[in-house]
Amino acid sequence: MYELIEHLKNKQLIWQGSRTHVEQDFQPTGFALLDEKLQGGFPKHGVIELQSSSGIGELRLLTPHLRRSLAKGLVVFIHPQATYA
């Protein structure tokens, strides 16, 4: 198990909290203020999680990123919330 975790950490697929800053590749979000708040943008590797209690259009924040990502390959939504009228 230890080798698997180390392998995933080396590929930057696991984030591990620490006091030291690790340089990471980022993709711009398409929104300058959001890039600033995220300290560079979305990570190039890994998972991006958005949480909202009321669903106020937060997926619009992903639109520029999704357009670029779809041109390069697969994008997956895991267990998106369903909304019912």
Side-chain angles (χ1 to χ4, degrees):
M1 180 63 97
Y2 176 77
E3 292 103 16
L4 175 61
I5 292 172
E6 285 302 311
H7 174 74
L8 293 173
K9 278 199 256 180
N10 290 337
K11 293 205 167 260
Q12 295 183 343
L13 296 175
I14 293 179
W15 178 82
Q16 184 176 21
S18 66
R19 293 175 191 240
T20 60
H21 178 70
V22 177
E23 279 301 315
Q24 190 173 8
D25 291 334
F26 293 98
Q27 295 184 46
T29 63
F31 302 95
L33 182 59
L34 184 56
D35 288 343
E36 181 183 325
K37 297 293 183 185
L38 295 174
Q39 300 175 359
F42 293 130
K44 282 190 177 181
H45 306 286
V47 175
I48 298 169
E49 180 180 12
L50 291 178
Q51 293 183 351
S52 172
S53 60
S54 61
I56 56 172
E58 62 277 358
L59 284 178
R60 286 183 281 168
L61 295 174
L62 291 177
T63 302
H65 176 70
L66 289 173
R67 284 193 179 121
R68 284 191 304 274
S69 297
L70 284 171
K72 295 177 185 174
L74 180 66
V75 173
V76 177
F77 285 84
I78 300 172
H79 192 59
Q81 292 288 343
T83 56
Y84 301 98

Coordinates of all heavy atoms in Angstrom, one line a residue:
M1 N 0.8 -1.2 0.0 CA 0.0 0.0 0.0 C 0.9 1.3 0.0 O 0.6 2.2 -0.6 CB -0.9 0.0 1.2 CG -1.8 1.2 1.3 SD -3.0 1.4 -0.1 CE -4.4 0.6 0.6
Y2 N 2.0 1.2 0.8 CA 2.9 2.4 0.9 C 3.4 2.8 -0.5 O 3.4 4.0 -0.8 CB 4.0 2.1 1.8 CG 5.0 3.2 1.9 CD1 4.7 4.3 2.7 CD2 6.2 3.1 1.3 CE1 5.7 5.3 2.7 CE2 7.2 4.1 1.3 CZ 6.9 5.2 2.1 OH 7.8 6.2 2.2
E3 N 3.8 1.8 -1.3 CA 4.3 2.1 -2.7 C 3.3 2.8 -3.5 O 3.6 3.7 -4.3 CB 4.8 0.8 -3.4 CG 6.1 0.2 -2.7 CD 5.7 -1.0 -1.9 OE1 4.6 -1.6 -2.1 OE2 6.6 -1.4 -1.1
L4 N 2.0 2.3 -3.4 CA 0.9 2.9 -4.2 C 0.7 4.4 -3.8 O 0.6 5.3 -4.7 CB -0.4 2.1 -4.0 CG -1.6 2.8 -4.7 CD1 -1.4 2.8 -6.2 CD2 -2.8 1.9 -4.3
I5 N 0.7 4.7 -2.5 CA 0.5 6.0 -2.1 C 1.7 6.9 -2.5 O 1.5 8.0 -3.0 CB 0.3 6.1 -0.5 CG1 -1.0 5.4 -0.2 CG2 0.4 7.5 0.0 CD1 -1.2 5.2 1.3
E6 N 2.9 6.4 -2.4 CA 4.1 7.2 -2.8 C 4.0 7.4 -4.3 O 4.3 8.5 -4.8 CB 5.4 6.5 -2.5 CG 5.7 6.6 -1.0 CD 5.8 8.0 -0.5 OE1 6.5 8.8 -1.2 OE2 5.2 8.3 0.5
H7 N 3.6 6.4 -5.1 CA 3.5 6.6 -6.6 C 2.5 7.7 -6.9 O 2.7 8.6 -7.7 CB 3.0 5.3 -7.2 CG 2.8 5.3 -8.6 ND1 3.7 5.5 -9.6 CD2 1.6 5.3 -9.3 CE1 3.2 5.5 -10.8 NE2 1.9 5.4 -10.7
L8 N 1.3 7.7 -6.2 CA 0.3 8.7 -6.5 C 0.8 10.1 -6.0 O 0.5 11.1 -6.7 CB -1.0 8.3 -5.7 CG -1.7 7.1 -6.3 CD1 -2.9 6.7 -5.4 CD2 -2.2 7.3 -7.7
K9 N 1.5 10.2 -4.9 CA 2.0 11.5 -4.5 C 3.1 12.0 -5.5 O 3.1 13.2 -5.8 CB 2.7 11.3 -3.1 CG 1.7 11.4 -2.0 CD 2.5 11.7 -0.7 CE 2.7 10.5 0.1 NZ 3.4 10.7 1.4
N10 N 3.9 11.1 -6.0 CA 4.9 11.5 -7.0 C 4.3 12.0 -8.3 O 4.8 12.9 -9.0 CB 5.9 10.4 -7.3 CG 6.8 10.1 -6.2 OD1 7.0 10.9 -5.3 ND2 7.3 8.9 -6.1
K11 N 3.1 11.5 -8.7 CA 2.4 12.0 -9.9 C 1.5 13.2 -9.6 O 0.7 13.6 -10.4 CB 1.6 10.8 -10.4 CG 2.4 9.7 -11.0 CD 1.6 9.0 -12.1 CE 2.5 8.1 -12.9 NZ 2.9 8.7 -14.1
Q12 N 1.6 13.7 -8.3 CA 0.7 14.8 -7.9 C -0.8 14.5 -8.0 O -1.5 15.4 -8.3 CB 1.1 16.1 -8.6 CG 2.5 16.5 -8.3 CD 2.8 17.8 -9.0 OE1 2.1 18.3 -9.9 NE2 3.9 18.5 -8.6
L13 N -1.2 13.3 -7.7 CA -2.6 12.9 -7.7 C -3.2 12.9 -6.3 O -4.4 12.7 -6.2 CB -2.7 11.5 -8.4 CG -2.4 11.5 -9.9 CD1 -2.5 10.1 -10.4 CD2 -3.2 12.4 -10.7
I14 N -2.3 13.0 -5.3 CA -2.8 13.1 -3.9 C -2.2 14.4 -3.4 O -1.0 14.7 -3.5 CB -2.3 11.9 -3.1 CG1 -2.9 10.7 -3.5 CG2 -2.5 12.2 -1.6 CD1 -2.5 9.4 -2.7
W15 N -3.0 15.2 -2.8 CA -2.6 16.4 -2.1 C -2.4 16.1 -0.7 O -3.2 15.4 0.0 CB -3.6 17.5 -2.2 CG -3.1 18.8 -1.5 CD1 -2.3 19.7 -1.9 CD2 -3.6 19.2 -0.2 NE1 -2.1 20.7 -1.0 CE2 -2.9 20.4 0.1 CE3 -4.4 18.7 0.7 CZ2 -3.1 21.1 1.3 CZ3 -4.6 19.3 1.9 CH2 -3.9 20.5 2.2
Q16 N -1.2 16.5 -0.1 CA -1.0 16.2 1.3 C -0.7 17.5 1.9 O 0.3 18.3 1.5 CB 0.2 15.3 1.4 CG 0.6 14.9 2.8 CD 1.7 13.9 2.9 OE1 2.5 13.8 1.9 NE2 1.8 13.2 3.9
G17 N -1.4 17.9 2.9 CA -1.2 19.1 3.6 C 0.1 19.2 4.3 O 0.6 18.2 4.9
S18 N 0.8 20.3 4.2 CA 2.0 20.5 4.8 C 2.3 22.0 5.0 O 1.6 22.8 4.4 CB 3.2 19.9 4.0 OG 3.3 20.6 2.8
R19 N 3.3 22.3 5.7 CA 3.7 23.8 5.9 C 4.5 24.3 4.8 O 4.6 25.5 4.6 CB 4.4 23.9 7.2 CG 3.5 23.6 8.4 CD 4.3 23.7 9.7 NE 3.5 23.1 10.7 CZ 3.2 23.8 11.8 NH1 3.6 25.0 12.0 NH2 2.4 23.3 12.7
T20 N 5.1 23.4 3.9 CA 5.9 23.9 2.8 C 5.1 23.9 1.6 O 4.2 23.1 1.3 CB 7.1 23.0 2.6 OG1 6.7 21.7 2.4 CG2 8.0 23.0 3.9
H21 N 5.3 24.9 0.7 CA 4.6 25.1 -0.5 C 5.3 24.2 -1.6 O 6.5 24.3 -1.8 CB 4.6 26.5 -0.9 CG 3.9 26.7 -2.3 ND1 2.5 26.6 -2.4 CD2 4.4 27.0 -3.5 CE1 2.2 26.8 -3.7 NE2 3.3 27.1 -4.3
V22 N 4.5 23.4 -2.3 CA 5.0 22.5 -3.3 C 4.6 23.2 -4.7 O 3.4 23.5 -4.9 CB 4.5 21.1 -3.2 CG1 4.9 20.3 -4.4 CG2 4.8 20.5 -1.9
E23 N 5.6 23.4 -5.5 CA 5.2 23.9 -6.9 C 4.4 23.0 -7.6 O 4.6 21.8 -7.6 CB 6.5 24.2 -7.6 CG 7.1 25.5 -7.3 CD 6.2 26.8 -7.5 OE1 5.6 26.9 -8.5 OE2 6.2 27.6 -6.6
Q24 N 3.4 23.5 -8.3 CA 2.4 22.6 -9.0 C 2.0 23.3 -10.3 O 2.0 24.6 -10.3 CB 1.2 22.3 -8.1 CG 0.3 21.3 -8.7 CD -0.8 21.0 -7.7 OE1 -1.0 21.6 -6.7 NE2 -1.6 20.0 -8.0
D25 N 1.8 22.6 -11.3 CA 1.3 23.2 -12.6 C -0.2 23.5 -12.4 O -1.0 22.7 -11.9 CB 1.5 22.2 -13.7 CG 3.0 22.0 -14.1 OD1 3.8 22.9 -13.8 OD2 3.3 20.9 -14.6
F26 N -0.5 24.7 -12.9 CA -1.9 25.1 -12.9 C -2.4 25.5 -14.3 O -1.6 25.9 -15.1 CB -2.1 26.4 -11.9 CG -1.8 26.0 -10.5 CD1 -0.6 26.3 -9.9 CD2 -2.8 25.5 -9.7 CE1 -0.3 26.0 -8.6 CE2 -2.6 25.2 -8.4 CZ -1.3 25.5 -7.8
Q27 N -3.7 25.4 -14.4 CA -4.4 25.9 -15.6 C -5.2 27.1 -15.2 O -5.9 27.1 -14.2 CB -5.3 24.9 -16.2 CG -4.6 23.6 -16.7 CD -5.7 22.7 -17.3 OE1 -6.5 23.1 -18.1 NE2 -5.6 21.4 -17.0
P28 N -5.2 28.2 -16.0 CA -6.0 29.3 -15.7 C -7.5 29.0 -15.8 O -7.9 28.1 -16.6 CB -5.7 30.4 -16.8 CG -5.0 29.6 -17.9 CD -4.4 28.4 -17.3
T29 N -8.3 29.5 -14.9 CA -9.7 29.2 -14.8 C -10.5 30.0 -15.9 O -11.6 29.6 -16.2 CB -10.3 29.6 -13.4 OG1 -10.1 31.0 -13.3 CG2 -9.6 28.9 -12.3
G30 N -9.9 31.1 -16.4 CA -10.6 32.0 -17.3 C -11.2 33.2 -16.6 O -11.7 34.1 -17.2
F31 N -10.9 33.3 -15.3 CA -11.4 34.4 -14.4 C -10.2 34.8 -13.6 O -9.7 34.1 -12.7 CB -12.5 34.0 -13.5 CG -13.7 33.5 -14.3 CD1 -13.9 32.1 -14.5 CD2 -14.7 34.4 -14.8 CE1 -15.1 31.7 -15.2 CE2 -15.8 33.9 -15.5 CZ -16.0 32.6 -15.7
A32 N -9.7 36.0 -13.8 CA -8.5 36.5 -13.1 C -8.6 36.5 -11.6 O -7.7 36.1 -10.9 CB -8.1 37.9 -13.6
L33 N -9.7 36.9 -11.1 CA -9.9 37.0 -9.6 C -9.9 35.6 -9.0 O -9.4 35.3 -8.0 CB -11.2 37.7 -9.3 CG -11.5 37.9 -7.8 CD1 -10.4 38.6 -7.1 CD2 -12.8 38.6 -7.6
L34 N -10.6 34.6 -9.7 CA -10.6 33.2 -9.3 C -9.2 32.6 -9.3 O -8.8 31.9 -8.4 CB -11.6 32.4 -10.1 CG -11.8 30.9 -9.7 CD1 -12.2 30.8 -8.2 CD2 -12.7 30.2 -10.6
D35 N -8.4 32.9 -10.3 CA -7.0 32.4 -10.4 C -6.2 33.0 -9.2 O -5.5 32.2 -8.6 CB -6.4 32.9 -11.7 CG -6.9 32.2 -12.9 OD1 -7.5 31.1 -12.8 OD2 -6.6 32.6 -14.0
E36 N -6.5 34.2 -8.9 CA -5.8 34.8 -7.7 C -6.2 34.1 -6.4 O -5.3 33.8 -5.6 CB -6.1 36.3 -7.7 CG -5.4 37.0 -6.5 CD -5.9 38.5 -6.5 OE1 -6.1 39.1 -7.5 OE2 -6.0 39.0 -5.3
K37 N -7.4 33.9 -6.2 CA -7.9 33.2 -5.0 C -7.4 31.8 -4.9 O -7.2 31.3 -3.8 CB -9.4 33.3 -4.9 CG -10.0 34.6 -4.8 CD -9.7 35.3 -3.5 CE -10.3 36.7 -3.4 NZ -9.9 37.4 -2.2
L38 N -7.3 31.1 -6.1 CA -6.8 29.7 -6.1 C -5.3 29.7 -6.1 O -4.7 28.6 -6.2 CB -7.4 29.0 -7.3 CG -8.9 28.8 -7.2 CD1 -9.4 28.2 -8.5 CD2 -9.3 27.9 -6.0
Q39 N -4.6 30.8 -6.1 CA -3.2 30.9 -6.1 C -2.6 30.2 -7.4 O -1.7 29.4 -7.3 CB -2.6 30.3 -4.9 CG -3.0 31.0 -3.6 CD -2.5 30.3 -2.4 OE1 -1.8 29.3 -2.4 NE2 -2.8 30.9 -1.2
G40 N -3.2 30.5 -8.5 CA -2.7 30.0 -9.8 C -3.7 29.5 -10.7 O -3.5 29.4 -11.9
G41 N -4.8 29.0 -10.2 CA -5.8 28.4 -11.1 C -6.1 27.0 -10.7 O -5.8 26.6 -9.5
F42 N -6.8 26.2 -11.6 CA -7.1 24.8 -11.3 C -5.8 24.0 -11.5 O -5.0 24.2 -12.4 CB -8.1 24.3 -12.2 CG -9.5 24.9 -12.1 CD1 -10.2 25.4 -13.1 CD2 -10.1 25.0 -10.8 CE1 -11.4 26.0 -13.0 CE2 -11.3 25.5 -10.6 CZ -12.0 26.0 -11.7
P43 N -5.6 22.9 -10.6 CA -4.5 22.1 -10.8 C -4.6 21.3 -12.1 O -5.7 20.9 -12.5 CB -4.5 21.1 -9.6 CG -5.9 21.2 -9.1 CD -6.4 22.5 -9.5
K44 N -3.5 21.1 -12.8 CA -3.5 20.3 -14.1 C -3.8 18.9 -13.9 O -4.3 18.2 -14.7 CB -2.2 20.5 -14.8 CG -2.0 21.8 -15.5 CD -0.8 21.8 -16.4 CE -0.7 23.1 -17.2 NZ 0.4 23.1 -18.1
H45 N -3.5 18.3 -12.7 CA -3.7 16.9 -12.4 C -4.5 16.8 -11.1 O -4.3 17.6 -10.2 CB -2.4 16.2 -12.2 CG -1.5 16.4 -13.4 ND1 -1.7 15.8 -14.6 CD2 -0.4 17.2 -13.5 CE1 -0.7 16.1 -15.4 NE2 0.1 17.0 -14.8
G46 N -5.4 15.9 -11.1 CA -6.2 15.6 -9.9 C -7.7 15.9 -10.0 O -8.2 15.9 -11.1
V47 N -8.3 16.2 -8.9 CA -9.7 16.3 -8.8 C -10.1 17.7 -8.4 O -9.4 18.3 -7.6 CB -10.3 15.3 -7.8 CG1 -11.8 15.6 -7.6 CG2 -10.0 13.9 -8.2
I48 N -11.1 18.3 -9.0 CA -11.6 19.6 -8.7 C -13.0 19.4 -8.1 O -13.9 18.8 -8.7 CB -11.7 20.6 -9.9 CG1 -10.3 20.8 -10.5 CG2 -12.4 21.9 -9.5 CD1 -10.3 21.5 -11.8
E49 N -13.2 19.9 -6.9 CA -14.5 19.7 -6.2 C -15.2 21.0 -6.0 O -14.5 21.9 -5.4 CB -14.4 18.9 -4.9 CG -15.7 18.7 -4.2 CD -15.5 18.0 -2.9 OE1 -14.4 17.8 -2.4 OE2 -16.5 17.5 -2.3
L50 N -16.4 21.2 -6.4 CA -17.2 22.4 -6.1 C -18.3 22.0 -5.2 O -19.0 21.0 -5.5 CB -17.8 23.0 -7.4 CG -16.9 23.6 -8.4 CD1 -17.7 24.1 -9.6 CD2 -16.1 24.8 -7.8
Q51 N -18.6 22.8 -4.2 CA -19.7 22.5 -3.3 C -20.5 23.8 -3.1 O -19.9 24.9 -3.0 CB -19.2 22.1 -1.9 CG -18.5 20.8 -1.9 CD -18.1 20.3 -0.5 OE1 -18.1 21.1 0.4 NE2 -17.6 19.1 -0.4
S52 N -21.8 23.6 -3.1 CA -22.7 24.7 -3.0 C -24.0 24.2 -2.3 O -24.4 23.1 -2.6 CB -23.0 25.4 -4.3 OG -24.0 26.3 -4.2
S53 N -24.5 25.0 -1.4 CA -25.7 24.5 -0.7 C -26.9 24.8 -1.5 O -27.9 24.1 -1.3 CB -25.8 25.2 0.7 OG -25.8 26.6 0.5
S54 N -26.9 25.7 -2.5 CA -28.1 26.1 -3.1 C -28.1 26.0 -4.7 O -29.1 26.2 -5.3 CB -28.6 27.5 -2.7 OG -27.6 28.4 -3.1
G55 N -27.0 25.7 -5.2 CA -26.9 25.7 -6.7 C -27.2 27.0 -7.4 O -28.3 27.2 -7.9
I56 N -26.3 27.9 -7.3 CA -26.5 29.3 -7.8 C -25.7 29.6 -9.1 O -25.4 30.7 -9.4 CB -26.1 30.3 -6.7 CG1 -24.7 30.1 -6.3 CG2 -27.1 30.3 -5.6 CD1 -24.2 31.2 -5.3
G57 N -25.4 28.5 -9.8 CA -24.7 28.7 -11.1 C -23.2 28.5 -11.0 O -22.5 29.0 -11.9
E58 N -22.8 27.8 -10.0 CA -21.3 27.6 -9.8 C -20.7 26.9 -11.0 O -19.5 27.1 -11.2 CB -21.0 27.0 -8.5 CG -21.6 25.6 -8.3 CD -23.0 25.5 -7.9 OE1 -23.6 26.6 -7.6 OE2 -23.5 24.4 -7.8
L59 N -21.4 26.1 -11.8 CA -20.8 25.4 -12.9 C -20.4 26.4 -14.0 O -19.5 26.1 -14.8 CB -21.8 24.4 -13.5 CG -21.9 23.1 -12.7 CD1 -23.0 22.2 -13.3 CD2 -20.6 22.4 -12.5
R60 N -20.9 27.6 -14.0 CA -20.4 28.6 -14.9 C -19.0 28.9 -14.7 O -18.3 29.4 -15.6 CB -21.3 29.9 -14.8 CG -22.6 29.7 -15.5 CD -23.4 31.0 -15.4 NE -23.9 31.1 -14.0 CZ -24.4 32.2 -13.5 NH1 -24.5 33.3 -14.2 NH2 -24.9 32.2 -12.3
L61 N -18.5 28.8 -13.5 CA -17.1 29.0 -13.2 C -16.2 28.0 -13.9 O -15.0 28.2 -14.1 CB -16.8 28.9 -11.7 CG -17.5 29.9 -10.8 CD1 -17.2 29.6 -9.3 CD2 -16.9 31.3 -11.2
L62 N -16.7 26.8 -14.3 CA -16.0 25.8 -14.9 C -16.0 25.9 -16.5 O -15.2 25.2 -17.1 CB -16.5 24.4 -14.5 CG -16.2 24.0 -13.1 CD1 -16.8 22.6 -12.8 CD2 -14.7 24.0 -12.8
T63 N -16.9 26.7 -17.0 CA -17.1 26.7 -18.5 C -15.8 26.9 -19.3 O -15.5 26.1 -20.2 CB -18.1 27.8 -18.8 OG1 -19.3 27.5 -18.2 CG2 -18.4 27.8 -20.3
P64 N -14.9 27.9 -19.0 CA -13.7 28.1 -19.8 C -12.8 26.9 -19.6 O -12.2 26.4 -20.6 CB -13.0 29.3 -19.2 CG -14.1 30.1 -18.6 CD -15.1 29.1 -18.1
H65 N -12.7 26.4 -18.4 CA -11.8 25.2 -18.1 C -12.4 24.0 -18.9 O -11.6 23.2 -19.5 CB -11.8 24.9 -16.6 CG -11.0 23.7 -16.3 ND1 -9.6 23.6 -16.4 CD2 -11.4 22.5 -15.8 CE1 -9.2 22.4 -16.0 NE2 -10.3 21.8 -15.6
L66 N -13.7 23.7 -18.9 CA -14.3 22.6 -19.5 C -14.1 22.7 -21.0 O -13.8 21.6 -21.7 CB -15.7 22.5 -19.2 CG -16.1 22.0 -17.8 CD1 -17.6 22.1 -17.5 CD2 -15.6 20.7 -17.5
R67 N -14.2 23.8 -21.6 CA -14.0 24.0 -23.1 C -12.6 23.6 -23.5 O -12.4 22.8 -24.4 CB -14.3 25.4 -23.5 CG -15.7 25.7 -23.6 CD -16.0 27.0 -24.3 NE -17.4 27.2 -24.4 CZ -18.0 28.3 -23.9 NH1 -17.3 29.2 -23.3 NH2 -19.3 28.4 -24.0
R68 N -11.6 24.0 -22.7 CA -10.2 23.6 -23.0 C -10.0 22.1 -22.7 O -9.3 21.5 -23.5 CB -9.2 24.4 -22.1 CG -9.0 25.9 -22.6 CD -7.9 26.5 -21.8 NE -8.0 26.5 -20.4 CZ -8.7 27.4 -19.7 NH1 -9.3 28.4 -20.3 NH2 -8.7 27.3 -18.4
S69 N -10.5 21.6 -21.6 CA -10.3 20.2 -21.3 C -11.0 19.3 -22.3 O -10.4 18.2 -22.6 CB -10.8 20.0 -19.9 OG -10.1 20.7 -18.9
L70 N -12.2 19.6 -22.7 CA -12.9 18.7 -23.7 C -12.1 18.6 -25.0 O -12.2 17.6 -25.6 CB -14.3 19.2 -23.9 CG -15.3 19.0 -22.8 CD1 -16.6 19.7 -23.0 CD2 -15.5 17.5 -22.6
A71 N -11.4 19.6 -25.4 CA -10.6 19.6 -26.6 C -9.4 18.6 -26.5 O -8.9 18.1 -27.4 CB -10.1 21.0 -27.0
K72 N -9.0 18.4 -25.2 CA -7.8 17.6 -25.0 C -8.2 16.1 -24.6 O -7.3 15.3 -24.7 CB -7.0 18.2 -23.8 CG -6.4 19.5 -24.2 CD -5.7 20.1 -23.0 CE -5.2 21.5 -23.2 NZ -4.6 22.1 -22.1
G73 N -9.4 15.9 -24.1 CA -9.7 14.5 -23.7 C -11.0 14.5 -22.9 O -11.9 15.3 -23.1
L74 N -11.0 13.5 -22.0 CA -12.3 13.2 -21.3 C -12.4 14.0 -20.0 O -11.5 14.3 -19.3 CB -12.1 11.7 -20.8 CG -13.3 11.1 -20.0 CD1 -14.5 11.0 -20.9 CD2 -12.9 9.7 -19.5
V75 N -13.7 14.4 -19.8 CA -14.1 15.2 -18.6 C -15.2 14.3 -17.9 O -16.1 13.9 -18.6 CB -14.6 16.6 -18.9 CG1 -15.1 17.2 -17.7 CG2 -13.5 17.4 -19.5
V76 N -15.0 14.1 -16.6 CA -16.0 13.3 -15.9 C -16.6 14.0 -14.8 O -15.9 14.7 -14.0 CB -15.3 12.0 -15.3 CG1 -16.3 11.2 -14.6 CG2 -14.7 11.2 -16.5
F77 N -17.9 14.0 -14.6 CA -18.6 14.5 -13.4 C -19.0 13.3 -12.6 O -19.7 12.4 -13.0 CB -19.9 15.2 -13.9 CG -19.7 16.6 -14.5 CD1 -19.4 16.7 -15.8 CD2 -19.7 17.7 -13.6 CE1 -19.1 18.0 -16.3 CE2 -19.5 18.9 -14.2 CZ -19.2 19.1 -15.5
I78 N -18.5 13.3 -11.3 CA -18.8 12.2 -10.4 C -19.9 12.6 -9.5 O -19.8 13.6 -8.7 CB -17.6 11.8 -9.6 CG1 -16.5 11.4 -10.6 CG2 -17.9 10.7 -8.6 CD1 -15.1 11.2 -10.0
H79 N -21.0 11.9 -9.5 CA -22.2 12.1 -8.7 C -22.6 13.6 -8.6 O -22.7 14.2 -7.5 CB -21.9 11.6 -7.2 CG -23.1 11.5 -6.4 ND1 -24.2 10.8 -6.7 CD2 -23.3 12.1 -5.2 CE1 -25.1 10.9 -5.7 NE2 -24.6 11.7 -4.8
P80 N -23.0 14.1 -9.8 CA -23.5 15.5 -9.7 C -24.9 15.5 -9.1 O -25.6 14.6 -9.2 CB -23.6 15.9 -11.2 CG -23.7 14.6 -11.9 CD -23.0 13.6 -11.1
Q81 N -25.2 16.6 -8.4 CA -26.5 16.7 -7.8 C -27.5 16.9 -8.8 O -27.4 17.6 -9.8 CB -26.5 18.0 -6.9 CG -25.6 17.9 -5.7 CD -26.1 16.9 -4.6 OE1 -27.3 16.6 -4.6 NE2 -25.3 16.5 -3.7
A82 N -28.6 16.2 -8.6 CA -29.8 16.3 -9.5 C -30.7 17.3 -8.9 O -30.9 17.5 -7.7 CB -30.5 14.9 -9.6
T83 N -31.2 18.2 -9.8 CA -32.2 19.2 -9.4 C -33.6 18.8 -10.0 O -33.7 18.4 -11.1 CB -31.8 20.6 -9.9 OG1 -31.6 20.6 -11.3 CG2 -30.5 21.0 -9.2
Y84 N -34.6 19.0 -9.2 CA -35.9 18.6 -9.6 C -36.8 19.8 -9.4 O -36.7 20.6 -8.5 CB -36.5 17.5 -8.8 CG -35.6 16.2 -8.9 CD1 -34.7 15.9 -7.9 CD2 -35.8 15.4 -9.9 CE1 -33.9 14.8 -8.0 CE2 -35.0 14.2 -10.1 CZ -34.1 13.9 -9.1 OH -33.3 12.8 -9.2
A85 N -37.7 20.0 -10.4 CA -38.6 21.2 -10.3 C -39.8 20.9 -9.5 O -40.2 19.8 -9.2 CB -39.1 21.5 -11.7

